[in-house]
PDB file of all heavy atoms in Angstrom:
ATOM      1  N   TYR A 137     -42.820 -25.446  50.539  1.00  0.00           N
ATOM      2  CA  TYR A 137     -41.988 -26.540  51.042  1.00  0.00           C
ATOM      3  C   TYR A 137     -41.236 -26.059  52.278  1.00  0.00           C
ATOM      4  O   TYR A 137     -40.518 -25.051  52.234  1.00  0.00           O
ATOM      5  CB  TYR A 137     -41.003 -26.989  49.966  1.00  0.00           C
ATOM      6  CG  TYR A 137     -40.034 -28.055  50.438  1.00  0.00           C
ATOM      7  CD1 TYR A 137     -40.468 -29.362  50.653  1.00  0.00           C
ATOM      8  CD2 TYR A 137     -38.699 -27.747  50.680  1.00  0.00           C
ATOM      9  CE1 TYR A 137     -39.588 -30.345  51.100  1.00  0.00           C
ATOM     10  CE2 TYR A 137     -37.806 -28.722  51.113  1.00  0.00           C
ATOM     11  CZ  TYR A 137     -38.256 -30.013  51.330  1.00  0.00           C
ATOM     12  OH  TYR A 137     -37.382 -30.978  51.771  1.00  0.00           O
ATOM     13  N   MET A 138     -41.425 -26.740  53.387  1.00  0.00           N
ATOM     14  CA  MET A 138     -40.774 -26.379  54.650  1.00  0.00           C
ATOM     15  C   MET A 138     -41.019 -24.900  54.988  1.00  0.00           C
ATOM     16  O   MET A 138     -40.122 -24.168  55.366  1.00  0.00           O
ATOM     17  CB  MET A 138     -39.278 -26.680  54.590  1.00  0.00           C
ATOM     18  CG  MET A 138     -38.925 -28.134  54.340  1.00  0.00           C
ATOM     19  SD  MET A 138     -39.407 -29.234  55.691  1.00  0.00           S
ATOM     20  CE  MET A 138     -38.134 -28.856  56.889  1.00  0.00           C
ATOM     21  N   GLU A 139     -42.268 -24.466  54.790  1.00  0.00           N
ATOM     22  CA  GLU A 139     -42.713 -23.100  55.095  1.00  0.00           C
ATOM     23  C   GLU A 139     -41.994 -22.031  54.265  1.00  0.00           C
ATOM     24  O   GLU A 139     -41.875 -20.876  54.715  1.00  0.00           O
ATOM     25  CB  GLU A 139     -42.582 -22.789  56.587  1.00  0.00           C
ATOM     26  CG  GLU A 139     -43.777 -23.258  57.406  1.00  0.00           C
ATOM     27  CD  GLU A 139     -45.101 -22.673  56.934  1.00  0.00           C
ATOM     28  OE1 GLU A 139     -45.355 -21.472  57.132  1.00  0.00           O
ATOM     29  OE2 GLU A 139     -45.911 -23.423  56.350  1.00  0.00           O
ATOM     30  N   LYS A 140     -41.564 -22.388  53.067  1.00  0.00           N
ATOM     31  CA  LYS A 140     -41.040 -21.407  52.126  1.00  0.00           C
ATOM     32  C   LYS A 140     -41.773 -21.571  50.801  1.00  0.00           C
ATOM     33  O   LYS A 140     -42.025 -22.698  50.367  1.00  0.00           O
ATOM     34  CB  LYS A 140     -39.535 -21.583  51.911  1.00  0.00           C
ATOM     35  CG  LYS A 140     -38.684 -21.131  53.088  1.00  0.00           C
ATOM     36  CD  LYS A 140     -37.201 -21.162  52.733  1.00  0.00           C
ATOM     37  CE  LYS A 140     -36.353 -20.637  53.881  1.00  0.00           C
ATOM     38  NZ  LYS A 140     -34.904 -20.639  53.541  1.00  0.00           N
ATOM     39  N   VAL A 141     -42.104 -20.431  50.183  1.00  0.00           N
ATOM     40  CA  VAL A 141     -42.792 -20.462  48.892  1.00  0.00           C
ATOM     41  C   VAL A 141     -41.741 -20.465  47.786  1.00  0.00           C
ATOM     42  O   VAL A 141     -40.981 -19.508  47.639  1.00  0.00           O
ATOM     43  CB  VAL A 141     -43.740 -19.254  48.732  1.00  0.00           C
ATOM     44  CG1 VAL A 141     -44.482 -19.336  47.401  1.00  0.00           C
ATOM     45  CG2 VAL A 141     -44.732 -19.191  49.888  1.00  0.00           C
ATOM     46  N   ARG A 142     -41.699 -21.554  46.989  1.00  0.00           N
ATOM     47  CA  ARG A 142     -40.693 -21.692  45.939  1.00  0.00           C
ATOM     48  C   ARG A 142     -41.351 -21.608  44.566  1.00  0.00           C
ATOM     49  O   ARG A 142     -42.435 -22.168  44.339  1.00  0.00           O
ATOM     50  CB  ARG A 142     -39.968 -23.040  46.067  1.00  0.00           C
ATOM     51  CG  ARG A 142     -39.384 -23.271  47.447  1.00  0.00           C
ATOM     52  CD  ARG A 142     -38.320 -24.356  47.474  1.00  0.00           C
ATOM     53  NE  ARG A 142     -38.704 -25.599  46.814  1.00  0.00           N
ATOM     54  CZ  ARG A 142     -37.936 -26.694  46.801  1.00  0.00           C
ATOM     55  NH1 ARG A 142     -36.755 -26.678  47.407  1.00  0.00           N
ATOM     56  NH2 ARG A 142     -38.337 -27.796  46.207  1.00  0.00           N
ATOM     57  N   ASP A 143     -40.695 -20.899  43.665  1.00  0.00           N
ATOM     58  CA  ASP A 143     -41.180 -20.757  42.292  1.00  0.00           C
ATOM     59  C   ASP A 143     -40.753 -21.986  41.492  1.00  0.00           C
ATOM     60  O   ASP A 143     -39.553 -22.231  41.296  1.00  0.00           O
ATOM     61  CB  ASP A 143     -40.586 -19.483  41.672  1.00  0.00           C
ATOM     62  CG  ASP A 143     -41.242 -19.111  40.358  1.00  0.00           C
ATOM     63  OD1 ASP A 143     -41.716 -20.023  39.647  1.00  0.00           O
ATOM     64  OD2 ASP A 143     -41.277 -17.911  40.036  1.00  0.00           O
ATOM     65  N   LEU A 144     -41.693 -22.762  41.011  1.00  0.00           N
ATOM     66  CA  LEU A 144     -41.358 -23.985  40.285  1.00  0.00           C
ATOM     67  C   LEU A 144     -40.989 -23.728  38.826  1.00  0.00           C
ATOM     68  O   LEU A 144     -40.538 -24.639  38.130  1.00  0.00           O
ATOM     69  CB  LEU A 144     -42.515 -24.988  40.367  1.00  0.00           C
ATOM     70  CG  LEU A 144     -42.761 -25.555  41.767  1.00  0.00           C
ATOM     71  CD1 LEU A 144     -43.988 -26.457  41.787  1.00  0.00           C
ATOM     72  CD2 LEU A 144     -41.549 -26.307  42.290  1.00  0.00           C
ATOM     73  N   PHE A 145     -41.176 -22.494  38.363  1.00  0.00           N
ATOM     74  CA  PHE A 145     -40.701 -22.112  37.025  1.00  0.00           C
ATOM     75  C   PHE A 145     -39.312 -21.483  37.068  1.00  0.00           C
ATOM     76  O   PHE A 145     -38.664 -21.322  36.050  1.00  0.00           O
ATOM     77  CB  PHE A 145     -41.682 -21.134  36.372  1.00  0.00           C
ATOM     78  CG  PHE A 145     -42.996 -21.761  35.975  1.00  0.00           C
ATOM     79  CD1 PHE A 145     -44.158 -20.998  35.957  1.00  0.00           C
ATOM     80  CD2 PHE A 145     -43.069 -23.093  35.619  1.00  0.00           C
ATOM     81  CE1 PHE A 145     -45.372 -21.565  35.580  1.00  0.00           C
ATOM     82  CE2 PHE A 145     -44.278 -23.665  35.250  1.00  0.00           C
ATOM     83  CZ  PHE A 145     -45.437 -22.900  35.236  1.00  0.00           C
ATOM     84  N   ASP A 146     -38.881 -21.089  38.268  1.00  0.00           N
ATOM     85  CA  ASP A 146     -37.554 -20.483  38.437  1.00  0.00           C
ATOM     86  C   ASP A 146     -37.064 -20.824  39.848  1.00  0.00           C
ATOM     87  O   ASP A 146     -37.406 -20.151  40.817  1.00  0.00           O
ATOM     88  CB  ASP A 146     -37.634 -18.961  38.241  1.00  0.00           C
ATOM     89  CG  ASP A 146     -36.273 -18.289  38.318  1.00  0.00           C
ATOM     90  OD1 ASP A 146     -35.277 -18.981  38.652  1.00  0.00           O
ATOM     91  OD2 ASP A 146     -36.198 -17.070  38.047  1.00  0.00           O
ATOM     92  N   LEU A 147     -36.269 -21.880  39.946  1.00  0.00           N
ATOM     93  CA  LEU A 147     -35.859 -22.390  41.258  1.00  0.00           C
ATOM     94  C   LEU A 147     -34.960 -21.428  42.026  1.00  0.00           C
ATOM     95  O   LEU A 147     -34.719 -21.627  43.220  1.00  0.00           O
ATOM     96  CB  LEU A 147     -35.152 -23.737  41.082  1.00  0.00           C
ATOM     97  CG  LEU A 147     -36.035 -24.880  40.565  1.00  0.00           C
ATOM     98  CD1 LEU A 147     -35.223 -26.157  40.403  1.00  0.00           C
ATOM     99  CD2 LEU A 147     -37.223 -25.114  41.483  1.00  0.00           C
ATOM    100  N   SER A 148     -34.438 -20.393  41.365  1.00  0.00           N
ATOM    101  CA  SER A 148     -33.634 -19.401  42.087  1.00  0.00           C
ATOM    102  C   SER A 148     -34.503 -18.553  43.015  1.00  0.00           C
ATOM    103  O   SER A 148     -34.016 -17.945  43.957  1.00  0.00           O
ATOM    104  CB  SER A 148     -32.895 -18.488  41.093  1.00  0.00           C
ATOM    105  OG  SER A 148     -33.807 -17.702  40.349  1.00  0.00           O
ATOM    106  N   LYS A 149     -35.806 -18.525  42.756  1.00  0.00           N
ATOM    107  CA  LYS A 149     -36.750 -17.799  43.613  1.00  0.00           C
ATOM    108  C   LYS A 149     -37.301 -18.796  44.628  1.00  0.00           C
ATOM    109  O   LYS A 149     -38.357 -19.404  44.424  1.00  0.00           O
ATOM    110  CB  LYS A 149     -37.876 -17.186  42.784  1.00  0.00           C
ATOM    111  CG  LYS A 149     -37.401 -16.205  41.715  1.00  0.00           C
ATOM    112  CD  LYS A 149     -38.565 -15.723  40.864  1.00  0.00           C
ATOM    113  CE  LYS A 149     -38.103 -14.763  39.770  1.00  0.00           C
ATOM    114  NZ  LYS A 149     -39.234 -14.322  38.906  1.00  0.00           N
ATOM    115  N   ASP A 150     -36.566 -18.962  45.711  1.00  0.00           N
ATOM    116  CA  ASP A 150     -36.913 -20.019  46.662  1.00  0.00           C
ATOM    117  C   ASP A 150     -37.523 -19.506  47.961  1.00  0.00           C
ATOM    118  O   ASP A 150     -37.713 -20.283  48.906  1.00  0.00           O
ATOM    119  CB  ASP A 150     -35.685 -20.873  46.970  1.00  0.00           C
ATOM    120  CG  ASP A 150     -34.556 -20.067  47.606  1.00  0.00           C
ATOM    121  OD1 ASP A 150     -34.698 -18.830  47.706  1.00  0.00           O
ATOM    122  OD2 ASP A 150     -33.544 -20.670  48.004  1.00  0.00           O
ATOM    123  N   ASN A 151     -37.835 -18.218  48.039  1.00  0.00           N
ATOM    124  CA  ASN A 151     -38.472 -17.675  49.242  1.00  0.00           C
ATOM    125  C   ASN A 151     -39.327 -16.465  48.864  1.00  0.00           C
ATOM    126  O   ASN A 151     -39.074 -15.339  49.282  1.00  0.00           O
ATOM    127  CB  ASN A 151     -37.419 -17.294  50.282  1.00  0.00           C
ATOM    128  CG  ASN A 151     -38.031 -17.020  51.647  1.00  0.00           C
ATOM    129  OD1 ASN A 151     -39.189 -17.360  51.910  1.00  0.00           O
ATOM    130  ND2 ASN A 151     -37.270 -16.392  52.520  1.00  0.00           N
ATOM    131  N   ILE A 152     -40.365 -16.716  48.086  1.00  0.00           N
ATOM    132  CA  ILE A 152     -41.237 -15.653  47.581  1.00  0.00           C
ATOM    133  C   ILE A 152     -42.110 -15.119  48.709  1.00  0.00           C
ATOM    134  O   ILE A 152     -42.645 -15.889  49.523  1.00  0.00           O
ATOM    135  CB  ILE A 152     -42.112 -16.189  46.429  1.00  0.00           C
ATOM    136  CG1 ILE A 152     -41.227 -16.567  45.242  1.00  0.00           C
ATOM    137  CG2 ILE A 152     -43.161 -15.175  46.006  1.00  0.00           C
ATOM    138  CD1 ILE A 152     -41.973 -17.288  44.144  1.00  0.00           C
ATOM    139  N   LEU A 153     -42.264 -13.802  48.752  1.00  0.00           N
ATOM    140  CA  LEU A 153     -43.087 -13.170  49.783  1.00  0.00           C
ATOM    141  C   LEU A 153     -44.550 -13.126  49.343  1.00  0.00           C
ATOM    142  O   LEU A 153     -44.859 -12.936  48.175  1.00  0.00           O
ATOM    143  CB  LEU A 153     -42.591 -11.754  50.066  1.00  0.00           C
ATOM    144  CG  LEU A 153     -41.166 -11.629  50.618  1.00  0.00           C
ATOM    145  CD1 LEU A 153     -40.815 -10.165  50.811  1.00  0.00           C
ATOM    146  CD2 LEU A 153     -41.022 -12.388  51.937  1.00  0.00           C
ATOM    147  N   ILE A 154     -45.429 -13.299  50.311  1.00  0.00           N
ATOM    148  CA  ILE A 154     -46.869 -13.201  50.068  1.00  0.00           C
ATOM    149  C   ILE A 154     -47.324 -11.822  50.521  1.00  0.00           C
ATOM    150  O   ILE A 154     -47.113 -11.439  51.673  1.00  0.00           O
ATOM    151  CB  ILE A 154     -47.635 -14.288  50.838  1.00  0.00           C
ATOM    152  CG1 ILE A 154     -47.135 -15.680  50.433  1.00  0.00           C
ATOM    153  CG2 ILE A 154     -49.129 -14.186  50.574  1.00  0.00           C
ATOM    154  CD1 ILE A 154     -47.699 -16.796  51.302  1.00  0.00           C
ATOM    155  N   LYS A 155     -47.930 -11.073  49.607  1.00  0.00           N
ATOM    156  CA  LYS A 155     -48.385  -9.724  49.943  1.00  0.00           C
ATOM    157  C   LYS A 155     -49.870  -9.574  49.657  1.00  0.00           C
ATOM    158  O   LYS A 155     -50.485 -10.426  49.019  1.00  0.00           O
ATOM    159  CB  LYS A 155     -47.581  -8.679  49.157  1.00  0.00           C
ATOM    160  CG  LYS A 155     -46.105  -8.632  49.543  1.00  0.00           C
ATOM    161  CD  LYS A 155     -45.418  -7.420  48.968  1.00  0.00           C
ATOM    162  CE  LYS A 155     -43.979  -7.310  49.475  1.00  0.00           C
ATOM    163  NZ  LYS A 155     -43.312  -6.091  48.986  1.00  0.00           N
ATOM    164  N   GLU A 156     -50.426  -8.478  50.143  1.00  0.00           N
ATOM    165  CA  GLU A 156     -51.854  -8.225  49.961  1.00  0.00           C
ATOM    166  C   GLU A 156     -52.062  -6.880  49.288  1.00  0.00           C
ATOM    167  O   GLU A 156     -51.512  -5.860  49.710  1.00  0.00           O
ATOM    168  CB  GLU A 156     -52.591  -8.252  51.302  1.00  0.00           C
ATOM    169  CG  GLU A 156     -54.095  -8.132  51.166  1.00  0.00           C
ATOM    170  CD  GLU A 156     -54.817  -8.368  52.471  1.00  0.00           C
ATOM    171  OE1 GLU A 156     -54.142  -8.514  53.509  1.00  0.00           O
ATOM    172  OE2 GLU A 156     -56.063  -8.415  52.462  1.00  0.00           O
ATOM    173  N   SER A 157     -52.852  -6.884  48.214  1.00  0.00           N
ATOM    174  CA  SER A 157     -53.182  -5.665  47.477  1.00  0.00           C
ATOM    175  C   SER A 157     -54.673  -5.408  47.586  1.00  0.00           C
ATOM    176  O   SER A 157     -55.479  -6.339  47.546  1.00  0.00           O
ATOM    177  CB  SER A 157     -52.784  -5.828  46.001  1.00  0.00           C
ATOM    178  OG  SER A 157     -53.473  -4.916  45.178  1.00  0.00           O
ATOM    179  N   LYS A 158     -55.041  -4.138  47.722  1.00  0.00           N
ATOM    180  CA  LYS A 158     -56.463  -3.803  47.803  1.00  0.00           C
ATOM    181  C   LYS A 158     -57.203  -4.182  46.526  1.00  0.00           C
ATOM    182  O   LYS A 158     -58.383  -4.508  46.554  1.00  0.00           O
ATOM    183  CB  LYS A 158     -56.640  -2.307  48.071  1.00  0.00           C
ATOM    184  CG  LYS A 158     -56.308  -1.900  49.499  1.00  0.00           C
ATOM    185  CD  LYS A 158     -56.670  -0.464  49.749  1.00  0.00           C
ATOM    186  CE  LYS A 158     -56.408  -0.081  51.210  1.00  0.00           C
ATOM    187  NZ  LYS A 158     -56.768   1.326  51.478  1.00  0.00           N
ATOM    188  N   VAL A 159     -56.520  -4.122  45.389  1.00  0.00           N
ATOM    189  CA  VAL A 159     -57.146  -4.432  44.100  1.00  0.00           C
ATOM    190  C   VAL A 159     -57.056  -5.919  43.790  1.00  0.00           C
ATOM    191  O   VAL A 159     -58.040  -6.561  43.424  1.00  0.00           O
ATOM    192  CB  VAL A 159     -56.495  -3.614  42.965  1.00  0.00           C
ATOM    193  CG1 VAL A 159     -57.093  -4.002  41.622  1.00  0.00           C
ATOM    194  CG2 VAL A 159     -56.686  -2.125  43.219  1.00  0.00           C
ATOM    195  N   GLN A 160     -55.870  -6.499  43.941  1.00  0.00           N
ATOM    196  CA  GLN A 160     -55.640  -7.870  43.508  1.00  0.00           C
ATOM    197  C   GLN A 160     -55.822  -8.906  44.609  1.00  0.00           C
ATOM    198  O   GLN A 160     -55.839 -10.096  44.342  1.00  0.00           O
ATOM    199  CB  GLN A 160     -54.218  -7.997  42.945  1.00  0.00           C
ATOM    200  CG  GLN A 160     -53.961  -7.133  41.717  1.00  0.00           C
ATOM    201  CD  GLN A 160     -52.491  -7.162  41.316  1.00  0.00           C
ATOM    202  OE1 GLN A 160     -51.613  -6.749  42.064  1.00  0.00           O
ATOM    203  NE2 GLN A 160     -52.241  -7.678  40.129  1.00  0.00           N
ATOM    204  N   GLY A 161     -55.974  -8.473  45.848  1.00  0.00           N
ATOM    205  CA  GLY A 161     -56.074  -9.419  46.944  1.00  0.00           C
ATOM    206  C   GLY A 161     -54.706  -9.975  47.311  1.00  0.00           C
ATOM    207  O   GLY A 161     -53.702  -9.264  47.284  1.00  0.00           O
ATOM    208  N   ILE A 162     -54.631 -11.264  47.620  1.00  0.00           N
ATOM    209  CA  ILE A 162     -53.375 -11.909  47.970  1.00  0.00           C
ATOM    210  C   ILE A 162     -52.554 -12.165  46.707  1.00  0.00           C
ATOM    211  O   ILE A 162     -53.059 -12.761  45.744  1.00  0.00           O
ATOM    212  CB  ILE A 162     -53.620 -13.241  48.706  1.00  0.00           C
ATOM    213  CG1 ILE A 162     -54.373 -12.987  50.012  1.00  0.00           C
ATOM    214  CG2 ILE A 162     -52.314 -13.959  48.981  1.00  0.00           C
ATOM    215  CD1 ILE A 162     -53.630 -12.130  51.019  1.00  0.00           C
TER     216      ILE A 162
END
């Protein structure tokens, strides 16, 4: 939402970072 990733199970997490792992991918 508005270029921020928000956790819909926990609204206090309103700017989650996207990371990349060699094993798990994105």
Side-chain angles (χ1 to χ4, degrees):
Y137 176 72
M138 300 294 284
E139 275 303 288
K140 287 188 177 181
V141 182
R142 306 198 311 184
D143 191 331
L144 292 176
F145 290 151
D146 184 353
L147 294 179
S148 66
K149 301 176 181 178
D150 61 355
N151 193 15
I152 295 172
L153 298 179
I154 302 171
K155 294 192 174 183
E156 186 171 6
S157 160
K158 286 187 177 180
V159 177
Q160 298 173 298
I162 298 297

